[in-house]
Structure formats: structure tokens, C-alpha cells
Amino acid sequence: MTTVTRFAPSPTGRLHVGNIRTALHNWMLARKAGGRFLLRIDDTDAERSREDYVDAIREDLAWLGLEPDGEERQSARLAIYEAAFERLRVAGRVYPAYETAQELDLKRKIQLGRGLPPVYDRAALDLTDRQRAEKEAEGITPHWRFRLDHTAPIAWDDGVRGKQKFDPAQLSDPVVRRADGSWLYMLPSAVDDIEMGVTHVLRGEDHVSNTAVQIQIFAALHTAGMAGADAAANLQHPAFAHEALLVGKEGKLSKRLGSLGCDAFRERGIEPEALIALLARLGTSLPVEPIADRAALIASFDLGTFGRAPARFDEADLERVNAAIVHQLPYERIADRLPAGMDEAGWHAIRPNLETLAQAGDWWRLVTGPIEPGEFSAEDRAFLAEAAQALEWSEDPWQALTARLKASTGRKGKPLFLPLRLALTGMGHGPDMGELLPLIGEAEARARLERAARG
Ligand code: GLU
């Protein structure tokens, strides 16, 4: 059976590092199995969903290189949910409830006050037809709850958390439909997972209790005769795995999530490959390494390595991985993002000095000039005058120049190299001079040495 995973964001905001990680892991799970990775836009909440967020989600996935194999939108599938709902209604698995939000809130407070878990008391199930008719005559339209089967214990073997067990009596019958007819997340998601043949649901551990409820929704949908691609494999529900949440260095990440999206990363010069390399392994027992080769990351992907403790996202780690990734980027991949005139040799000379690709321009100015050579002592000026004369163009002009000067002046180490570097680049540190000097060129190099010698 083909592995099918899905990433199911609600387009009510931009993707953040937590969503990106979930998307990545679903993508990797599908790629490793040679399966399909779907993007499902969870936009049943018409008020909060926005089209520009849908576009942004697609753009972010494209920037990350996590192209989906298919895209579905819940807002285009309302008739399917209606049909599924109707089946559940006929089967007696959904029921109308009339409590207002305030009433429910009060019930919860009373339960908590008595030290009881705030589980919905199912008062709506006890209403007679007449009582219901009265409510509706008063103009109260019901919302709808899914009736959990208290006699069917819930259990699954979670891909990350291992054996999970829930007593349905300890859970509230979830509201699946609002009074205005709109859908909450719980039912459409299960319907889609069945219909789209989703084999693996991998999401954050904040969904564990939703899974418990959805396992019964899946079962009820099957019993009510709704079976998708997975029926052939006799699957009651997809395999579930819940990954531990991401936390920041100092604890919660939620406050900062707004600043941890693709746009912000891109602006800070973070390469998608760095984000991928870090997030692929963060929270797993595998070491985070600057692996730019996705096939290698995919090959090592294994839910069995995922830990249950919250994964710590540290931006300093991301920057470190990013620098190491930049040092590996091949010229053809980034040629169009480099400063004008910078060729492959230029890229190779400058690459090891970068933390971000954007810094390439600063270093490239050492080649194109003009540079500010700084001030030298009389002794160094004489040395540089000699250098200007000794400069001779060859395969390796830096090697030739420093060898000649070493022999003629007796200088070595820093007194030999530093004045030359300063005169030629205006900087006390930087790219390898052996690679840089040929890029500066003979005439310009001689002019720079002469200028520094004049002081
Ligand atoms: N739209 C849901 C969310 O963003 C999807 C959860 C799921 O993967 O089922 O939390």
C-alpha cells in the first residue's frame, strides 16, 4: 500500500517553525516510503481563513523545497462532510445540543469546583423530542456533538509515544458542527483522511486527545458505510504518530512564533537547507549535522529516533548549521544570488568566510575595490614597496610573492603576511590570499601595494 501523508495547516496565519517541522517530517515520511505527501488546507473556518495565507503557505513550502504531490481544500469539500454527517446522524452517532457557551462554561466551573474533570455531561442526550422542539421554537439552533462510545476503549500504538490508551468516558463528546452549520476540525479531518487514503497522520502532541476522539469517529464512519482507499487494506484508521512540541531556549516558543516564519528566516539569510537539516533531526536521537543532501536526511529519517521530551529550538544552532551549509553550497545553485561579476573562483574563495550568503557582497568588495588600506609604519611601507616590485604573475602569485619576500627580507609569519593582506584587501582577516590575489588581478594588486607603500 502506498504511504500517504498530509500536512494540514489552517490558513489563519503564516507558517512558523513548529508547522514547518511537521510539514517536513510528513514530507520525509512520504519520500522515504516512495509515497505521496499531500497539502490539505483546513479552511472550514471561513471567518478566520484568508486567501493570502493560503498563498503564503504554498510559497513557503516551495521555498523550503517541500512541494506537495497534491493539494486539497476543505472549503471545496463541504458536501462530502454533509453526507458523512448525515450518515452519522442516521446512525445516532451525532446529536444536537442547545447549551450556550456561557452555560457550558458554568457547567465546567461547577465540575472543576467539585474537583471533577470538566467533561460534558451529555444533558442534551436526555432531551425528549418535545423539549428539542421547544428549544427550536424558541429560535435556538443546535450545535452537534459526536457521541463517543463509552463501551469501546480507545487504544493505538503511536509511532513516537508507543502504546496509548484512553477511556472514552473521560472525554467530552466533541462538538463537530456549529449552530450556524459550519464545521469544526474534528469530523472533516477524519473524513478526509479516509477519503484521501491517508496512511500516516504525523502531527504535534497537542493533538493526542483529538486522535483519541477521531479513532472513534473513524470507526463510526466505517460502520456507517464510509470507506475510502484504506478499506481495501482493511484499515480502521491511519497510523498515528505525535511528535513532542518544540520549545525555545528559555521555554515556551509560542510568544515568539510570529518571528519564526519563512520570511523572517529568509531575511536573516537562513538557507532552506539549514532549516531542513536542523528540523529534520531536532528532538531525535540522531545528531544535528549540516547535511545539505536531502536524500541522506531522508534515508536516516526514522520515527523510532524521535524522543518524547520537548525539542529545543535554538536560533544559535540554526545559525551554526546555516554557516556550515553555506560553506558547502555549489556555485551553480546560488549563482543568481551572488554579487555581479562574482564567478565560481570568487565564490570558492569567499564561501568559507560567510555566515549568510548576503555577506558575499561585503567580501567581494575586497576584490572589486576600492579598498581602504589603512596606515603602515615606515618599515612596513618599505616592505610593501619591495612587495610591489617583487610581484610577479604566475599560476600562484601569492605563493611566489611571499616566498620571494621571505627570502629577501627574512620576514615570516604575521609580519610577512599581515601588511600584505592589509595593503591588498584593507582587512586584517578574510578569505585565503592565495585564492583572492588572482581575483584582484596583477595591475590592481600592484597599484594597491604601491598606494599602501606611499602611505
Ligand atoms: N488544521 C489542523 C491544525 O493545524 C490539522 C491537524 C492535523 O494534522 O490533523 O492543527
Side-chain angles (χ1 to χ4, degrees):
M1 191 177 49
T2 315
T3 294
V4 180
T5 67
R6 87 293 195 279
F7 172 51
S10 307
T12 54
R14 294 295 303 258
L15 298 185
H16 56 66
V17 66
N19 312 128
I20 295 170
R21 174 166 167 259
T22 305
L24 171 67
H25 291 160
N26 276 285
W27 180 83
M28 295 176 86
L29 188 60
R31 288 290 169 272
K32 181 159 189 189
R36 286 163 54 74
F37 165 68
L38 303 178
L39 170 61
R40 189 185 81 200
I41 304 288
D42 280 6
D43 58 350
T44 54
D45 186 341
E47 241 158 64
R48 291 177 59 229
S49 297
R50 280 177 28 191
E51 207 49 38
D52 53 331
Y53 288 138
V54 176
D55 291 336
I57 288 167
R58 292 189 192 117
E59 281 159 25
D60 286 348
L61 290 180
W63 180 71
L64 291 160
L66 306 179
E67 307 274 0
D69 301 309
E71 183 183 311
E72 301 279 357
R73 286 187 75 139
Q74 293 198 320
S75 58
R77 300 171 51 78
L78 301 181
I80 298 168
Y81 309 140
E82 191 72 53
F85 175 80
E86 194 47 29
R87 282 172 188 257
L88 294 181
R89 199 185 61 75
V90 170
R93 292 306 298 271
V94 290
Y95 61 93
Y98 298 84
E99 292 93 343
T100 62
Q102 290 86 329
E103 283 167 336
L104 291 171
D105 203 39
L106 189 62
K107 285 189 193 205
R108 270 193 295 269
K109 284 199 179 118
I110 293 171
Q111 285 168 316
L112 288 170
R114 291 188 188 142
L116 297 169
V119 176
Y120 177 59
D121 63 6
R122 294 186 148 180
L125 267 183
D126 298 331
L127 295 176
T128 61
D129 286 348
R130 217 179 114 196
Q131 285 170 317
R132 273 197 289 270
E134 276 167 17
K135 298 263 184 207
E136 288 181 29
E138 283 170 41
I140 309 176
T141 20
H143 53 276
W144 292 79
R145 288 182 186 264
F146 175 76
R147 185 172 57 76
L148 289 165
D149 178 355
H150 287 184
T151 68
I154 299 167
W156 75 92
D157 194 3
D158 194 280
V160 173
R161 301 163 62 86
K163 295 240 180 302
Q164 302 290 297
K165 278 201 183 104
F166 278 82
D167 173 4
Q170 301 297 314
L171 303 170
S172 291
D173 287 341
V175 177
V176 292
R177 193 170 200 181
R178 298 187 189 89
D180 66 3
S182 65
W183 301 103
L184 280 121
Y185 153 78
M186 211 66 94
L187 175 65
S189 181
V191 169
D192 287 346
D193 286 338
I194 293 175
E195 276 238 324
M196 294 167 195
V198 171
T199 58
H200 293 75
V201 170
L202 169 55
R203 55 191 176 189
E205 68 179 9
D206 49 332
H207 282 287
V208 168
S209 59
N210 288 343
T211 296
V213 164
Q214 283 178 330
I215 281 183
Q216 286 214 351
I217 295 183
F218 279 109
L221 288 169
H222 277 278
T223 307
M226 207 203 125
D230 52 351
N234 206 15
L235 265 190
Q236 273 289 323
H237 56 73
F240 289 101
H242 296 85
E243 47 187 6
L245 297 183
L246 219 47
V247 293
K249 222 172 96 202
E250 288 98 24
K252 278 217 145 185
L253 208 54
S254 48
K255 273 186 252 134
R256 293 231 28 236
L257 284 178
S259 63
L260 299 174
C262 290
D263 273 0
F265 289 131
R266 187 168 27 205
E267 261 159 45
R268 281 168 42 199
I270 300 296
E271 299 297 321
E273 299 307 340
L275 207 50
I276 300 280
L278 177 70
L279 295 180
R281 292 189 171 180
L282 198 61
T284 75
S285 57
L286 301 171
V288 169
E289 289 165 342
I291 301 175
D293 174 11
R294 290 193 185 206
L297 286 173
I298 291 168
S300 67
F301 180 80
D302 176 3
L303 285 178
T305 64
F306 281 55
R308 288 191 56 174
R312 237 161 242 290
F313 174 74
D314 181 349
E315 286 167 79
D317 290 340
L318 180 59
E319 278 156 22
R320 261 192 302 278
V321 172
N322 192 59
I325 292 273
V326 168
H327 301 166
Q328 302 170 45
L329 287 173
Y331 177 71
E332 0 25 286
R333 276 277 296 285
I334 39 81
D336 57 342
R337 293 167 60 199
L338 294 180
M342 188 168 186
D343 60 4
E344 187 161 3
W347 171 240
H348 281 266
I350 276 160
R351 185 169 73 164
N353 286 77
L354 304 180
E355 277 148 19
T356 67
L357 197 61
Q359 295 167 346
D362 298 338
W363 289 112
W364 190 235
R365 268 189 285 284
L366 306 194
V367 170
T368 57
I371 57 126
E372 209 38 68
E375 292 194 358
F376 296 93
S377 65
E379 207 183 320
D380 278 347
R381 286 206 303 274
F383 168 71
L384 292 168
E386 194 173 335
Q389 292 211 333
L391 186 67
E392 217 172 66
W393 222 241
S394 62
E395 263 292 283
D396 190 349
W398 175 253
Q399 164 61 30
L401 175 67
T402 49
R404 284 182 99 182
L405 290 171
K406 190 173 173 186
S408 65
T409 66
R411 288 195 186 210
K412 55 182 183 278
K414 205 167 157 192
L416 172 65
F417 298 114
L418 188 59
L420 292 171
R421 179 184 277 284
L422 281 168
L424 287 164
T425 70
M427 300 269 300
H429 67 285
D432 181 75
M433 286 305 299
E435 291 187 59
L436 218 47
L437 189 52
L439 297 166
I440 295 171
E442 183 176 6
E444 174 68 12
R446 181 165 290 112
R448 288 184 191 181
L449 290 170
E450 283 167 353
R451 180 173 161 216
R454 281 197 303 274

